[in-house]
């Protein structure tokens, strides 16, 4: 048993070390790109926005998913550089869509560590300015898992970001263990309901809660017609998931 555990641990550690090493050059070798998944208005399923999702295609390791490499980037201090790259790419794409006359917004996922860097607000302003994007067209997604630490500090940071005119979404709502009281103190504009809550009466309760607090509500991970019907029935006006569009 002990030996098996050691072997597994060794394999994991090697993989992690390799990812860390390879990730360092990924931007310069042009191995990263963004995919965009539509956010649609319901029930007519009209696209109104898109979430930028980071992809890494390595020549030898193949596709590595963000669930695997984002935590590595966070731990080894590379997330700020990756995040800055994502922000610029996303603003660039957004400015093109706007120039083509599409009435859309784009959201970008932000790690807690980026949020807490002192220069983050300036970075966001720079990206908006560089690509001439109106701030209200950009949404920054902060995951509920970021809320566990220093809530007061998080409230200040999000407040500063919001001052720039960008909108804030609370991602993965309902997937963590944060207290509802704390979550509802955050200065946010949008609630993204985690796909694990897209079941039975749960959606309805959360949608009503969000609307009571004046928030826009997006149901995540709508994968089939049954879930779609449930979300629409619950009065949710925005949705995202494989049914209405894969990340492309
Ligand atoms: P997330 O922000 O909650 O993104 C939604 C995830 O759900 C995406 O996984 C998306 O591909 C997946 N998804 C979309 N539709 C469906 C569906 O119908 N059913 C199910 N089961 N899943 C669906 P992905 O792209 O693998 O990203 C995983 C997580 O990695 C993201 O979760 C986000 O937390 C993180 N991530 C992705 N890109 C970035 C980034 O640029 N920066 C940071 N910091 N994190 C990122
Ligand atoms: Mg997200
Ligand atoms: Mg999510």
């Amino acid at each position: 048993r002990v030996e098996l555990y050691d072997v597994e641990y060794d394999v994991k550690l090697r993989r992690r070390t390799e990812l860390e090493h390879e990730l360092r050059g990924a931007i310069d070798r042009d191995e990263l790109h963004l995919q965009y998944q539509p956010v649609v208005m319901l029930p007519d399923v009209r696209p109104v926005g898109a979430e930028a999702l980071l992809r890494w295609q390595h020549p030898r390791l193949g596709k590595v998913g963000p669930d695997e490499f984002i935590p590595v980037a966070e731990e080894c201090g590379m997330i700020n550089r990756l995040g800055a790259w994502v922000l610029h790419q996303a603003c660039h794409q957004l400015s093109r869509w706007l120039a083509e006359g599409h009435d859309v917004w784009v959201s970008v996922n932000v790690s807690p560590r980026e949020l807490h860097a002192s220069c983050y607000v300036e970075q966001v302003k720079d990206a908006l300015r560089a690509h001439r994007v109106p701030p209200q067209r950009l949404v920054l997604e902060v995951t509920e898992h970021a809320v566990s630490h220093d809530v007061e500090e998080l409230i200040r940071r999000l407040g500063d970001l919001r001052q720039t005119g960008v909108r804030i979404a609370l991602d993965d709502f309902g997937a963590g263990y944060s207290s509802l009281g704390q979550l509802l103190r955050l200065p946010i504009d949008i609630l993204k309901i985690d796909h694990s809550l897209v079941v039975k009466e749960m959606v309805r309760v959360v949608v009503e809660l969000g609307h009571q607090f004046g928030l826009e509500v997006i149901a995540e991970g709508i994968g089939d017609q049954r879930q779609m019907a449930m979300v629409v029935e619950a009065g949710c006006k925005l949705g995202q998931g494989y049914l209405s569009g894969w990340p492309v």
Side-chain angles (χ1 to χ4, degrees):
R1 262 243 177 81
V2 171
E3 276 172 15
L4 182 64
Y5 174 81
D6 284 346
V7 172
E8 270 178 26
Y9 181 76
D10 195 46
V11 168
K12 276 192 189 143
L13 193 67
R14 265 171 214 242
R15 169 85 175 168
R16 199 203 163 284
T17 310
E18 180 163 45
L19 290 183
E20 181 181 332
H21 182 259
E22 293 302 319
L23 201 50
R24 290 197 187 279
I27 293 180
D28 296 335
R29 292 192 305 267
D30 210 17
E31 292 167 4
L32 299 178
H33 70 279
L34 293 181
Q35 286 191 332
Y36 296 88
Q37 182 174 38
V39 174
V40 298
M41 188 77 95
L42 299 175
D44 48 335
V45 196
R46 179 168 50 89
V48 290
E51 175 173 13
L53 295 161
L54 187 54
R55 299 290 179 253
W56 181 19
Q57 174 83 46
H58 186 274
R60 182 168 42 83
L61 301 171
K63 280 190 185 126
V64 187
D67 278 330
E68 190 178 10
F69 71 79
I70 293 287
V72 175
E74 284 171 343
E75 280 169 41
C76 69
M78 244 182 312
I79 193 66
N80 303 70
R81 231 189 114 212
L82 281 190
W85 184 88
V86 169
L87 196 57
H88 271 277
Q89 293 289 317
C91 285
H92 176 64
Q93 180 63 66
L94 177 55
S95 74
R96 286 176 53 177
W97 279 330
L98 293 176
E100 287 164 11
H102 299 294
D103 182 15
V104 291
W105 47 263
V106 161
S107 72
V108 162
N109 292 284
V110 180
S111 290
R113 201 152 159 184
E114 293 176 75
L115 213 56
H116 290 289
S118 56
C119 57
Y120 190 66
V121 174
E122 282 309 312
Q123 263 184 38
V124 171
K125 281 192 201 163
D126 285 347
L128 293 168
R129 222 178 292 133
H131 300 280
R132 296 166 196 267
V133 168
Q136 63 278 11
R137 297 278 179 172
L138 181 68
V139 174
L140 299 176
E141 297 194 7
V142 182
T143 167
E144 191 198 310
H145 305 288
V147 181
S148 50
H149 306 296
D150 189 346
V151 181
E152 300 305 324
E153 176 66 12
L154 185 63
I155 291 174
R156 270 196 300 277
R157 293 280 173 181
L158 294 180
D160 291 347
L161 276 171
R162 228 165 158 221
Q163 287 277 315
T164 68
V166 303
R167 291 184 299 153
I168 308 288
L170 184 60
D171 201 358
D172 310 318
F173 180 80
Y177 299 95
S178 321
S179 91
L180 196 55
Q182 282 190 334
L183 291 179
L184 294 172
R185 284 183 57 215
L186 300 175
I188 56 170
D189 305 278
I190 301 167
L191 210 58
K192 294 192 82 168
I193 310 177
D194 190 73
H195 64 91
S196 62
L197 286 196
V198 180
V199 283
K200 292 186 190 152
E201 289 306 301
M202 291 287 245
V203 213
R204 181 188 304 280
V205 171
V206 180
V207 169
E208 268 172 26
L209 177 89
H211 290 164
Q212 283 288 329
F213 278 80
L215 304 171
E216 285 193 62
V217 181
I218 302 175
E220 276 196 288
I222 304 177
D224 57 40
Q225 291 291 353
R226 194 184 49 89
Q227 288 171 338
M228 179 64 96
M230 212 155 53
V231 166
V232 170
E233 167 81 358
C236 191
K237 296 184 192 74
L238 295 166
Q240 181 181 349
Y242 298 148
L243 186 68
S244 51
W246 286 79
V248 285

